[in-house]
Amino acid sequence: MNTKDFSGLGLIEPLTRAVEAQGYSKPTPIQSKAIPELLDDADLLGIAQTGSGKTAAFLLPILQHLVQDGGRPSRKGAIALILAPTRELALQIGDSVTAYAKHLRLRHTVILGGVNQNPQVKALAKGVDILVATPGRLLDLQQQGHVHLGDVAHLVLDEADRMLDMGFIKDVRKIVRSIPNDRQTLLFSATMPKEIVRLAEDILYEPVRVDVAPKTVTADKVEQRIIHVPAAKKGALLADLLADEALQRVIVFTRTKHRANRVAKQLGQAGIEAAAIHGNKSQAARQRALEGFKSNAIRVLVATDIAARGIDVDGVTHVINFELPNEPESYVHRIGRTARAGADGMAVSFCDPAERDHLKGIERLIGRRIAIEEHTLSAAAANEDSPPQNSKKSGKTHGKRPGGGKRRSGRNRRRNRTKAA
Ligand code: AMP
């Protein structure tokens, strides 16, 4: 046994067995650093984005605490609470709990907005060991008296910066105020804007800080390219690129929901299987699009930044930024959707003259210039603004084929903390 494998981190056998069944051979950097500290009851500030393995980094030690501490949840109560900004992310965390807790006898449930609350109320009635929730629905159910948080001993805020972007921080603070101070608290965020620094100071107690900088992700794993193109030719350029079959599983990012719809529609008209995913779509439509994408029935997912936060699909070969984001951090989030779990990936960004300043901001953030690729539009594409019918390759090779009862020890110290959320 060494510290390079999961059992060397102090995890019990039912958890290491479940992790092996997932095909993880060794812990990711955030897992190696965070798991021993969390098993030792520390609070944690994790600067990490999706793709780093952060979900297992927080779930595995929490599951172990739940088993070893042996307490049972009271009616309508929960012992561990995980807050996630989007419904997709909440569902994925729920799936991870199912996978990692396979050999344990623990109850968990996921509650989220946009769907009927009755099954959620029913699932909560007996109490759960782990509750995964989006903030709005949780507050709503709390106000109706269907859930109480007085038993919560482990609290995780996942993707805190995205909660801020989505306007959830007030709700989050309200929820935290209803949880006892005597708890273990974990906060994960890909970026640390001022408000998140303040939130972390308010709710974490002497946290261990683990920073797995997204910069390494962008620099090391994802091959990045910029194509300068007039805005009116972006649709044609996209169809041109997609004529190359090496772009097997592609996420296209737009800035607005409206543009996402339009791009998906144009691709559909050009015979390319595509679906849009954004906040105006119903939960059922978003799930359908994601399932289709995972099963390869849909080749191109057209997404806005917020909707994309929870997309956890391995094997995304290419990310295409149809429009550059105005926040440079979003660029890092976006391209982190490819090159996950050790695979390679490619990110191609379209930049029209009005977006040059966004590009500069991105290059400043990632600390390097992105290579420019010259692309000559195919004859069909050059003559029109919308994607041509399944045009053949323009001769330019974009297609890189990526390889493819609660534990009290250590927590008593929190009793004296004076700060509330
Ligand atoms: P996350 O950052 O938690 O969203 O995880 C990103 C992806 O990495 C998920 O598909 C996980 O299943 C996968 N993953 C997590 N930990 C490991 C590991 N130690 N080895 C390989 N893949 C992992």
Side-chain angles (χ1 to χ4, degrees):
M1 189 186 302
N2 64 54
T3 48
K4 295 248 168 67
D5 63 27
F6 282 96
S7 53
L9 299 177
L11 290 171
I12 53 177
E13 191 274 340
L15 290 173
T16 56
R17 189 150 41 108
V19 160
E20 263 167 41
Q22 291 297 302
Y24 305 169
S25 52
K26 61 180 178 49
T28 64
I30 193 165
Q31 291 164 358
S32 307
K33 288 180 196 149
I35 290 173
E37 301 282 359
L38 293 173
L39 287 174
D40 200 27
D41 289 316
D43 279 9
L44 181 97
L45 172 61
I47 303 172
Q49 61 171 0
T50 308
S52 59
K54 66 185 164 69
T55 315
F58 67 74
L59 279 183
L60 295 170
I62 288 180
L63 289 169
Q64 184 151 328
H65 279 302
L66 292 174
V67 171
Q68 293 182 334
D69 300 347
R72 302 301 310 158
S74 57
R75 284 187 72 244
K76 302 183 184 178
I79 301 178
L81 171 66
I82 298 159
L83 291 177
T86 62
R87 300 178 279 195
E88 285 79 12
L89 183 62
L91 288 171
Q92 268 157 29
I93 296 171
D95 290 345
S96 298
V97 176
T98 305
Y100 304 148
K102 186 158 86 166
H103 307 296
L104 308 173
R105 292 164 65 96
L106 295 172
R107 270 205 303 270
H108 79 273
T109 196
V110 180
I111 65 177
L112 34 80
V115 292
N116 185 324
Q117 72 168 44
N118 293 340
Q120 299 173 8
V121 170
K122 207 166 150 208
L124 285 166
K126 279 193 279 182
V128 290
D129 296 284
I130 303 188
L131 175 58
V132 185
T134 53
R137 174 59 65 94
L138 178 63
L139 260 187
D140 192 5
L141 293 182
Q142 203 183 9
Q143 277 154 6
Q144 295 176 55
H146 293 304
V147 59
H148 73 80
L149 301 178
D151 292 346
V152 171
H154 307 275
L155 169 68
V156 181
L157 303 189
D158 198 9
E159 303 202 346
D161 51 352
R162 195 51 47 169
M163 299 218 204
L164 177 72
D165 291 349
M166 295 174 73
F168 286 152
I169 289 300
K170 254 189 163 157
D171 285 356
V172 167
R173 282 184 177 272
K174 212 161 163 188
I175 291 167
V176 177
R177 276 198 296 273
S178 64
I179 298 173
N181 273 350
D182 180 16
R183 60 166 193 259
Q184 181 178 39
T185 312
L186 288 60
L187 185 149
F188 290 87
S189 198
T191 57
M192 287 301 287
K194 278 196 306 291
E195 291 87 337
I196 298 302
V197 172
R198 245 188 332 259
L199 179 70
E201 284 169 359
D202 289 347
I203 69 170
L204 300 174
Y205 178 81
E206 296 181 358
V208 171
R209 184 186 164 108
V210 176
D211 187 344
V212 285
K215 282 176 206 165
T216 20
V217 176
T218 77
D220 291 356
K221 289 292 189 94
V222 184
E223 198 173 321
Q224 300 166 62
R225 295 275 184 275
I226 288 284
I227 301 180
H228 289 287
V229 59
K233 291 291 177 197
K234 284 184 174 182
L237 174 60
L238 179 62
D240 232 17
L241 298 188
L242 287 170
D244 184 343
E245 284 164 9
L247 284 78
Q248 287 166 2
R249 189 178 271 183
V250 183
I251 302 181
V252 173
F253 282 96
T254 62
R255 267 204 301 269
T256 64
K257 298 166 193 170
H258 175 68
R259 174 79 62 194
N261 284 339
R262 256 187 58 189
V263 170
K265 191 169 162 207
Q266 288 179 334
L267 289 175
Q269 286 164 349
I272 296 167
E273 316 78 28
I277 181 166
H278 55 66
N280 282 0
K281 295 269 177 185
S282 70
Q283 178 63 9
R286 287 155 72 158
Q287 279 307 112
R288 238 187 348 262
L290 268 182
E291 292 306 320
F293 191 52
K294 281 184 188 167
S295 68
N296 290 328
I298 289 170
R299 180 173 162 218
V300 182
L301 203 57
V302 188
T304 56
D305 287 297
I306 286 175
R309 275 301 283 207
I311 301 174
D312 174 24
V313 181
D314 290 338
V316 172
T317 58
H318 293 72
V319 164
I320 296 180
N321 291 313
F322 192 89
E323 292 162 314
L324 286 176
N326 31 21
E327 290 170 30
E329 286 84 4
S330 297
Y331 175 82
V332 177
H333 292 310
R334 288 180 178 189
I335 73 168
R337 303 289 134 182
T338 180
R340 291 161 67 81
D344 295 329
M346 183 157 201
V348 181
S349 302
F350 299 176
C351 179
D352 67 46
E355 294 175 308
R356 297 263 162 92
D357 282 345
H358 297 335
L359 177 59
K360 279 192 201 134
I362 290 164
E363 291 184 328
R364 237 187 335 266
L365 176 75
I366 65 172
R368 65 197 188 100
R369 300 294 296 272
I370 303 171
I372 295 172
E373 178 150 327
E374 301 295 334
H375 182 94
T376 315
L377 285 174
S378 62
N383 291 330
E384 55 182 313
D385 292 348
S386 55
Q389 299 291 317
N390 260 344
S391 62
K392 277 283 149 227
K393 265 209 290 200
S394 63
K396 191 78 211 159
T397 47
H398 277 277
K400 172 172 131 76
R401 281 188 194 272
K406 305 169 235 167
R407 174 150 145 164
R408 288 287 161 198
S409 65
R411 294 193 21 250
N412 287 339
R413 62 193 163 84
R414 293 191 182 84
R415 290 223 166 106
N416 291 332
R417 79 169 111 193
T418 49
K419 280 186 174 177

